[in-house]
Amino acid sequence: MTVLVHLVEPAAWRAALDTGALRPPSLADQGFVHLSAPGQVHLPAERLFPGRRDLVLLVIDPARLPGPVRWAPGVPGDPPGMRFPHLHGPLPTSAVVAVVPHRPPAEPVLPRPDDPLGRALTLHRSLRVRRAAELRDVPGGVAVLDPGFRYSRDDNRLVLHEPVDAGTVAATAAALAADAGWPHVAASLTWAGADDVAAELAGRGWQAEELLVMARPAAPPIPGRRAEAVDQREVHDLWERSWRRDLPPSEADLDEVVAQLVGREHRNDRVVAVTDLAVREDGRVVSAGQLRVDGATAAFESLTTDPAARGRGHGDAVLAAALDRAAGAGCDLVVLEADAADWPRHWYARRGFVPVGSTWEVSTQAGATTESSR
């Protein structure tokens, strides 16, 4: 299935998520949005954004556009006879099936609209890259770093999508940990067949966790009651209680660790549209989850329910509200990651989520052997 692309600054894309459409200056000045075929995008990138590596490529399904795309000649200097696609109207965010960081000279991986695994992996990788305080190129992908949240493995790790061997993963992560002062070494292995590398690292004392990538359509809705949308600060107390239960009692600097793990979450809304959904009992938030919308793809994350409030349908209420909002935003796909060895994967399966693939998270504490993942 053929896709089109549009190169844009991340801030412009984030603003479009709030309005439902991207309206670049060319729409007012020339009457259309400049698009490209995947093999053409390097030409406007070099002409308009020379040397930039902080942009994103919007992957567009032409079948979702409200009007036909017209092909027209480029500008002087483009290859003779080359024609570029033009959209004569705003670009709906619901036509964008993926948002890919543009980091030349690396070749971008563009998922097809009908590939739920590719779209899910792109969203999970892209979010980490787009919110990172610092990025470094490494064999097989990139390293994301954020010294302001050094205890967060999600924000200080390797994010790898091309095959590399276990020795390269270990050496690269250890070198970065030493240079950046990480208290851990961690990597996401997101290519097909990464289980062999994960198994070898587990044999070296690393913790290796397989995550099932699960997906379902945003509609039809799940029947039943709905959670309410809340300011994220109202969920902080629930998150803090959860982290204090889950972290080992021996965790050094426990208060600082918990503060960072709670405090990091607000940054997601800088790059994707985030809605926090919650259920209250006696005015107190006892269950919550988060919906992250990035064009036509949404991710459901961080479903948490107080142990004393479980078994009352709160998780269903939160998930149902998330699916409603995803459908309302024009998403056709909702994705999540679930521990392949834990019971929630069955809970999600009963609610329409289907496994479409898996990834591996590998980690170890710097200077030690294993530590619970966060």
Side-chain angles (χ1 to χ4, degrees):
M1 186 178 293
T2 303
V3 298
L4 300 175
V5 294
H6 178 72
L7 191 62
V8 67
E9 293 185 319
W13 171 244
R14 177 62 189 88
L17 289 171
D18 286 337
T19 63
L22 181 72
R23 296 175 173 83
S26 67
L27 184 60
D29 297 341
Q30 300 169 275
F32 56 83
V33 179
H34 289 271
L35 307 179
S36 300
Q40 299 174 317
V41 72
H42 65 285
L43 295 170
E46 293 166 358
R47 181 170 63 247
L48 301 174
F49 305 104
R52 294 279 297 272
R53 304 186 76 209
D54 61 334
L55 307 173
V56 292
L57 277 174
L58 307 182
V59 183
I60 301 160
D61 180 2
R64 305 179 192 218
L65 294 174
V69 170
R70 301 172 187 171
W71 293 75
V75 299
D78 287 336
M82 179 171 284
R83 300 172 73 81
F84 288 82
H86 294 166
L87 174 64
H88 289 260
L91 172 61
T93 56
S94 58
V96 176
V97 297
V99 182
V100 179
H102 178 66
R103 292 184 57 78
E107 192 72 22
V109 179
L110 309 180
R112 302 186 315 274
D114 60 352
D115 177 13
L117 176 60
R119 289 171 61 180
L121 294 180
T122 297
L123 176 53
H124 287 299
R125 295 174 189 140
S126 179
L127 177 61
R128 282 170 165 163
V129 169
R130 286 148 63 193
R131 75 183 178 203
E134 180 185 350
L135 293 169
R136 300 185 192 180
D137 295 315
V138 298
V142 298
V144 296
L145 303 93
D146 194 330
F149 299 93
R150 60 188 294 268
Y151 288 111
S152 171
R153 293 183 184 176
D154 208 35
D155 298 285
N156 296 278
R157 63 166 53 237
L158 309 184
V159 181
L160 308 179
H161 65 273
E162 295 181 351
V164 290
D165 59 60
T168 300
V169 174
T172 305
L176 275 164
D179 180 61
W182 293 348
H184 59 266
V185 288
S188 299
L189 314 180
T190 66
W191 67 88
D195 48 324
D196 288 343
V197 172
E200 184 174 341
L201 289 167
R204 299 183 182 196
W206 289 52
Q207 178 177 337
E209 178 185 21
E210 183 183 10
L211 298 179
L212 287 183
V213 180
M214 306 183 75
R216 64 154 283 168
I222 293 176
R225 64 192 179 92
R226 299 295 191 264
E228 62 178 308
V230 299
D231 186 290
Q232 188 174 102
R233 289 170 293 186
E234 296 188 58
V235 189
H236 284 182
D237 183 57
L238 175 65
W239 286 345
E240 181 173 340
R241 298 195 305 271
S242 176
W243 281 118
R244 289 187 180 277
R245 284 194 307 270
D246 293 343
L247 290 171
S250 59
E251 178 74 56
D253 302 319
L254 180 60
D255 289 344
E256 178 60 24
V257 171
V258 171
Q260 288 189 20
L261 297 181
V262 172
R264 67 185 177 178
E265 290 297 323
H266 73 280
R267 297 162 309 126
N268 294 317
D269 193 57
R270 296 177 184 173
V271 293
V272 297
V274 171
T275 303
D276 288 280
L277 301 152
V279 174
R280 305 176 195 271
E281 287 187 355
D282 299 323
R284 187 188 197 194
V285 171
V286 295
S287 184
Q290 188 175 93
L291 181 72
R292 303 170 181 174
V293 171
D294 203 20
T297 309
F300 183 63
E301 301 277 348
S302 306
L303 181 59
T304 305
T305 302
D306 263 345
R310 291 174 184 168
R312 301 173 189 169
H314 295 335
D316 278 306
V318 171
L319 177 59
L323 293 173
D324 283 351
R325 285 183 169 265
C331 300
D332 70 314
L333 184 69
V334 180
V335 300
L336 58 84
E337 291 181 335
D339 187 340
D342 206 355
W343 65 266
R345 72 191 192 280
H346 301 300
W347 188 89
Y348 286 116
R350 292 193 297 271
R351 287 147 181 85
F353 284 88
V354 177
V356 293
S358 64
T359 66
W360 287 87
E361 300 287 303
V362 294
S363 62
T364 183
Q365 188 172 3
T369 53
T370 60
E371 183 185 6
S372 61
S373 177
R374 55 174 176 271

